[in-house]
Amino acid sequence: MARVFSGIQPSGELHLGNYLGAVRNWVRLQDQHECLFCVVDLHAITQPYEPATLGERTLEMATGLLAAGLDPAKCTVFVQSHVPEHSELNWLLTTVAPLGELERQTQYKDKAQRQESVPAGLLNYPILQAADVLLYKAELVPVGEDQLQHLELMREIARRWNHRFGAGYFPEPQALLTPTKRVLGLDGQAKMSKSLGNTIGLFEDADTIWEKLKPAATDPARVTRKDPGNPDICNIFTIHQGFSTPAQQADVAHKCRTAGWGCLDCKRLLADNIIAALAPMRERHARYRADPERVRAILRDGAARVRVIARKTITEVRARMGLLEAAED
Ligand code: SF4
């Protein structure tokens, strides 16, 4: 079985965009590969954040992942900062990472633009990503298209390190492109994101889901019920593709193009499908929420499991890089 690594930032509660864009795929992958899924809190602190709530958000994200269907019997779920070898390998890889490439990363340029004072951690973000994956010699990394540039840099870092310290030591990880179109927020403008307030939370109740969906953006050409629309440019149809059956999707597209129904009818069907699909997750979420110690124990076991691999890699990397072994007590 190939080893898969993927991470998610501790943004708090999961939303539909996280689920369709990544987590649903992770739930499938855990049945096919050896999967390591990580809440990447060290990545989160490269941008302005609130220290008082970071721990809480990390626990909430882990709770959400388990509720969404990650099964600790099939995969390993852990928190990045609980495995200090991520930080150590990050430093060791900075010695081979190409500065020019780091500065050219689109995400770095976007995020740096929005900050008055740019922390070095933001520039080094892709090196920490490389450390996350290479620490476990993971072969496959599920990513969206927006992460492909970072993955290519990760492969370059692996090649450079291998060239200098050990041919073939680190496998060059391959992208496993997530098979879902990018889901926009309810405003139909930007990516679904908690900070933009345009999300539907994965564990929200049926009434809240419907109230949020009702005013959501559609094809602007459908001003009245009689106007035909184009499902290909409608975010509601993109979400239908995540929750409705192929037959329902065909029917939605037909009725949209022929003005056979109103957008509210279309959204009602979508709301019903979302509510039905999320019901078991909402139940699991309530159970995990009521027992945070259980979630903490799962995270502790996960970190213990992956540290066995991480320590071995770090010991080998240190030796290949010529660092003096510490004396035993
Ligand atoms: Fe979008 Fe459905 Fe309205 Fe068509 S009918 S524009 S797919 S919400």
Side-chain angles (χ1 to χ4, degrees), residues 217-219 222 229-231 234-237 240 252 255-257 261-264 266-267:
T218 61
D219 174 2
R222 289 212 77 188
N230 178 2
C234 178
N235 191 45
I236 296 298
F237 187 65
H240 263 295
V252 167
K255 285 178 171 159
C256 178
R257 290 185 207 284
W261 66 356
C263 287
L264 218 51
C266 180
K267 288 173 177 176

mmCIF file of all heavy atoms in Angstrom, residues 217-219 222 229-231 234-237 240 252 255-257 261-264 266-267, ligand 1:
data_model
loop_
_atom_site.group_PDB
_atom_site.id
_atom_site.type_symbol
_atom_site.label_atom_id
_atom_site.label_comp_id
_atom_site.label_asym_id
_atom_site.label_seq_id
_atom_site.Cartn_x
_atom_site.Cartn_y
_atom_site.Cartn_z
ATOM 1 N N ALA A 217 -25.921 32.789 -3.975
ATOM 2 C CA ALA A 217 -25.788 33.257 -5.363
ATOM 3 C C ALA A 217 -26.028 32.125 -6.368
ATOM 4 O O ALA A 217 -25.658 30.973 -6.133
ATOM 5 C CB ALA A 217 -24.395 33.837 -5.576
ATOM 6 N N THR A 218 -26.665 32.474 -7.491
ATOM 7 C CA THR A 218 -26.909 31.517 -8.583
ATOM 8 C C THR A 218 -26.418 32.160 -9.875
ATOM 9 O O THR A 218 -25.748 33.191 -9.835
ATOM 10 C CB THR A 218 -28.418 31.199 -8.704
ATOM 11 O OG1 THR A 218 -29.094 32.422 -8.988
ATOM 12 C CG2 THR A 218 -28.959 30.600 -7.417
ATOM 13 N N ASP A 219 -26.797 31.562 -11.021
ATOM 14 C CA ASP A 219 -26.468 32.208 -12.296
ATOM 15 C C ASP A 219 -27.205 33.554 -12.351
ATOM 16 O O ASP A 219 -28.449 33.585 -12.333
ATOM 17 C CB ASP A 219 -26.920 31.288 -13.443
ATOM 18 C CG ASP A 219 -26.750 31.964 -14.806
ATOM 19 O OD1 ASP A 219 -26.257 33.115 -14.845
ATOM 20 O OD2 ASP A 219 -27.113 31.332 -15.809
ATOM 21 N N ARG A 222 -30.497 34.398 -14.362
ATOM 22 C CA ARG A 222 -31.843 33.976 -13.979
ATOM 23 C C ARG A 222 -32.472 35.029 -13.074
ATOM 24 O O ARG A 222 -32.542 34.873 -11.848
ATOM 25 C CB ARG A 222 -31.812 32.625 -13.254
ATOM 26 C CG ARG A 222 -31.472 31.459 -14.153
ATOM 27 C CD ARG A 222 -32.154 30.184 -13.707
ATOM 28 N NE ARG A 222 -33.557 30.147 -14.063
ATOM 29 C CZ ARG A 222 -34.401 29.213 -13.645
ATOM 30 N NH1 ARG A 222 -33.991 28.241 -12.861
ATOM 31 N NH2 ARG A 222 -35.665 29.244 -14.019
ATOM 32 N N GLY A 229 -31.190 29.310 -17.380
ATOM 33 C CA GLY A 229 -29.888 29.533 -16.728
ATOM 34 C C GLY A 229 -28.817 28.596 -17.272
ATOM 35 O O GLY A 229 -29.082 27.763 -18.143
ATOM 36 N N ASN A 230 -27.639 28.772 -16.753
ATOM 37 C CA ASN A 230 -26.511 27.922 -17.162
ATOM 38 C C ASN A 230 -25.909 27.272 -15.920
ATOM 39 O O ASN A 230 -25.205 27.938 -15.151
ATOM 40 C CB ASN A 230 -25.465 28.783 -17.891
ATOM 41 C CG ASN A 230 -24.259 27.955 -18.301
ATOM 42 O OD1 ASN A 230 -24.230 26.739 -18.064
ATOM 43 N ND2 ASN A 230 -23.275 28.591 -18.907
ATOM 44 N N PRO A 231 -26.185 25.990 -15.722
ATOM 45 C CA PRO A 231 -25.691 25.334 -14.494
ATOM 46 C C PRO A 231 -24.161 25.318 -14.418
ATOM 47 O O PRO A 231 -23.609 25.277 -13.326
ATOM 48 C CB PRO A 231 -26.257 23.904 -14.606
ATOM 49 C CG PRO A 231 -26.617 23.728 -16.039
ATOM 50 C CD PRO A 231 -26.954 25.077 -16.569
ATOM 51 N N CYS A 234 -22.981 28.051 -12.271
ATOM 52 C CA CYS A 234 -23.723 28.250 -11.019
ATOM 53 C C CYS A 234 -23.105 27.402 -9.903
ATOM 54 O O CYS A 234 -23.005 26.173 -10.019
ATOM 55 C CB CYS A 234 -25.189 27.868 -11.215
ATOM 56 S SG CYS A 234 -26.125 28.052 -9.688
ATOM 57 N N ASN A 235 -22.749 28.066 -8.820
ATOM 58 C CA ASN A 235 -22.117 27.382 -7.691
ATOM 59 C C ASN A 235 -23.061 26.386 -7.019
ATOM 60 O O ASN A 235 -22.635 25.379 -6.463
ATOM 61 C CB ASN A 235 -21.632 28.441 -6.680
ATOM 62 C CG ASN A 235 -20.740 27.853 -5.610
ATOM 63 O OD1 ASN A 235 -19.847 27.061 -5.927
ATOM 64 N ND2 ASN A 235 -20.965 28.216 -4.369
ATOM 65 N N ILE A 236 -24.363 26.657 -7.116
ATOM 66 C CA ILE A 236 -25.349 25.726 -6.536
ATOM 67 C C ILE A 236 -25.265 24.389 -7.285
ATOM 68 O O ILE A 236 -25.328 23.317 -6.681
ATOM 69 C CB ILE A 236 -26.781 26.321 -6.623
ATOM 70 C CG1 ILE A 236 -26.880 27.597 -5.772
ATOM 71 C CG2 ILE A 236 -27.841 25.302 -6.221
ATOM 72 C CD1 ILE A 236 -26.639 27.399 -4.285
ATOM 73 N N PHE A 237 -25.067 24.477 -8.596
ATOM 74 C CA PHE A 237 -24.944 23.231 -9.364
ATOM 75 C C PHE A 237 -23.635 22.499 -8.988
ATOM 76 O O PHE A 237 -23.621 21.268 -8.903
ATOM 77 C CB PHE A 237 -24.988 23.514 -10.866
ATOM 78 C CG PHE A 237 -25.036 22.253 -11.687
ATOM 79 C CD1 PHE A 237 -26.132 21.395 -11.616
ATOM 80 C CD2 PHE A 237 -23.969 21.897 -12.509
ATOM 81 C CE1 PHE A 237 -26.174 20.212 -12.356
ATOM 82 C CE2 PHE A 237 -24.006 20.722 -13.241
ATOM 83 C CZ PHE A 237 -25.109 19.883 -13.177
ATOM 84 N N HIS A 240 -24.447 20.662 -6.034
ATOM 85 C CA HIS A 240 -25.282 19.500 -6.416
ATOM 86 C C HIS A 240 -24.376 18.341 -6.841
ATOM 87 O O HIS A 240 -24.648 17.175 -6.546
ATOM 88 C CB HIS A 240 -26.177 19.859 -7.613
ATOM 89 C CG HIS A 240 -27.583 20.259 -7.229
ATOM 90 N ND1 HIS A 240 -28.467 19.392 -6.632
ATOM 91 C CD2 HIS A 240 -28.250 21.427 -7.381
ATOM 92 C CE1 HIS A 240 -29.628 20.007 -6.431
ATOM 93 N NE2 HIS A 240 -29.518 21.260 -6.868
ATOM 94 N N VAL A 252 -31.499 18.457 -12.855
ATOM 95 C CA VAL A 252 -31.259 19.843 -12.425
ATOM 96 C C VAL A 252 -30.766 20.665 -13.618
ATOM 97 O O VAL A 252 -31.269 21.767 -13.888
ATOM 98 C CB VAL A 252 -30.217 19.884 -11.275
ATOM 99 C CG1 VAL A 252 -29.730 21.313 -11.033
ATOM 100 C CG2 VAL A 252 -30.802 19.298 -9.994
ATOM 101 N N LYS A 255 -33.615 21.219 -16.197
ATOM 102 C CA LYS A 255 -34.644 22.170 -15.736
ATOM 103 C C LYS A 255 -34.084 23.583 -15.657
ATOM 104 O O LYS A 255 -34.808 24.558 -15.836
ATOM 105 C CB LYS A 255 -35.193 21.750 -14.379
ATOM 106 C CG LYS A 255 -36.138 20.553 -14.463
ATOM 107 C CD LYS A 255 -36.586 20.171 -13.070
ATOM 108 C CE LYS A 255 -37.701 19.142 -13.095
ATOM 109 N NZ LYS A 255 -37.787 18.438 -11.815
ATOM 110 N N CYS A 256 -32.792 23.702 -15.362
ATOM 111 C CA CYS A 256 -32.159 25.019 -15.293
ATOM 112 C C CYS A 256 -32.104 25.640 -16.695
ATOM 113 O O CYS A 256 -32.543 26.765 -16.902
ATOM 114 C CB CYS A 256 -30.754 24.871 -14.710
ATOM 115 S SG CYS A 256 -29.842 26.418 -14.638
ATOM 116 N N ARG A 257 -31.610 24.841 -17.652
ATOM 117 C CA ARG A 257 -31.430 25.370 -19.021
ATOM 118 C C ARG A 257 -32.762 25.705 -19.690
ATOM 119 O O ARG A 257 -32.829 26.581 -20.545
ATOM 120 C CB ARG A 257 -30.693 24.345 -19.892
ATOM 121 C CG ARG A 257 -29.224 24.167 -19.525
ATOM 122 C CD ARG A 257 -28.523 23.231 -20.515
ATOM 123 N NE ARG A 257 -27.400 22.544 -19.913
ATOM 124 C CZ ARG A 257 -26.211 23.110 -19.670
ATOM 125 N NH1 ARG A 257 -26.016 24.361 -19.984
ATOM 126 N NH2 ARG A 257 -25.246 22.421 -19.107
ATOM 127 N N TRP A 261 -37.896 25.099 -13.732
ATOM 128 C CA TRP A 261 -38.191 25.336 -12.313
ATOM 129 C C TRP A 261 -37.437 26.561 -11.826
ATOM 130 O O TRP A 261 -36.584 27.105 -12.542
ATOM 131 C CB TRP A 261 -37.892 24.111 -11.446
ATOM 132 C CG TRP A 261 -36.429 23.697 -11.323
ATOM 133 C CD1 TRP A 261 -35.364 24.244 -11.957
ATOM 134 C CD2 TRP A 261 -35.911 22.668 -10.486
ATOM 135 N NE1 TRP A 261 -34.211 23.618 -11.586
ATOM 136 C CE2 TRP A 261 -34.518 22.631 -10.674
ATOM 137 C CE3 TRP A 261 -36.471 21.746 -9.601
ATOM 138 C CZ2 TRP A 261 -33.694 21.730 -10.019
ATOM 139 C CZ3 TRP A 261 -35.636 20.853 -8.952
ATOM 140 C CH2 TRP A 261 -34.276 20.837 -9.166
ATOM 141 N N GLY A 262 -37.770 26.983 -10.616
ATOM 142 C CA GLY A 262 -37.112 28.153 -10.047
ATOM 143 C C GLY A 262 -35.876 27.755 -9.268
ATOM 144 O O GLY A 262 -35.707 26.583 -8.883
ATOM 145 N N CYS A 263 -35.010 28.744 -8.984
ATOM 146 C CA CYS A 263 -33.782 28.466 -8.241
ATOM 147 C C CYS A 263 -34.091 27.986 -6.823
ATOM 148 O O CYS A 263 -33.343 27.178 -6.264
ATOM 149 C CB CYS A 263 -32.904 29.717 -8.196
ATOM 150 S SG CYS A 263 -32.142 30.076 -9.786
ATOM 151 N N LEU A 264 -35.225 28.444 -6.275
ATOM 152 C CA LEU A 264 -35.557 28.012 -4.917
ATOM 153 C C LEU A 264 -35.905 26.513 -4.896
ATOM 154 O O LEU A 264 -35.554 25.797 -3.950
ATOM 155 C CB LEU A 264 -36.726 28.857 -4.392
ATOM 156 C CG LEU A 264 -36.665 29.237 -2.919
ATOM 157 C CD1 LEU A 264 -35.338 29.859 -2.533
ATOM 158 C CD2 LEU A 264 -37.802 30.180 -2.569
ATOM 159 N N CYS A 266 -34.666 24.342 -6.929
ATOM 160 C CA CYS A 266 -33.374 23.683 -7.133
ATOM 161 C C CYS A 266 -32.606 23.604 -5.807
ATOM 162 O O CYS A 266 -32.023 22.579 -5.451
ATOM 163 C CB CYS A 266 -32.609 24.513 -8.170
ATOM 164 S SG CYS A 266 -30.989 23.896 -8.587
ATOM 165 N N LYS A 267 -32.671 24.691 -5.059
ATOM 166 C CA LYS A 267 -31.960 24.739 -3.779
ATOM 167 C C LYS A 267 -32.626 23.838 -2.732
ATOM 168 O O LYS A 267 -31.960 23.299 -1.857
ATOM 169 C CB LYS A 267 -31.928 26.186 -3.275
ATOM 170 C CG LYS A 267 -30.992 27.085 -4.075
ATOM 171 C CD LYS A 267 -31.137 28.524 -3.628
ATOM 172 C CE LYS A 267 -30.182 29.442 -4.338
ATOM 173 N NZ LYS A 267 -30.392 30.850 -3.954
HETATM 174 FE FE1 SF4 B 1 -28.313 27.453 -10.336
HETATM 175 FE FE2 SF4 B 1 -30.256 25.694 -9.996
HETATM 176 FE FE3 SF4 B 1 -30.840 28.289 -10.407
HETATM 177 FE FE4 SF4 B 1 -29.850 26.820 -12.386
HETATM 178 S S1 SF4 B 1 -31.824 26.503 -11.381
HETATM 179 S S2 SF4 B 1 -29.198 28.884 -11.805
HETATM 180 S S3 SF4 B 1 -28.439 25.431 -11.269
HETATM 181 S S4 SF4 B 1 -29.766 27.409 -8.642
#
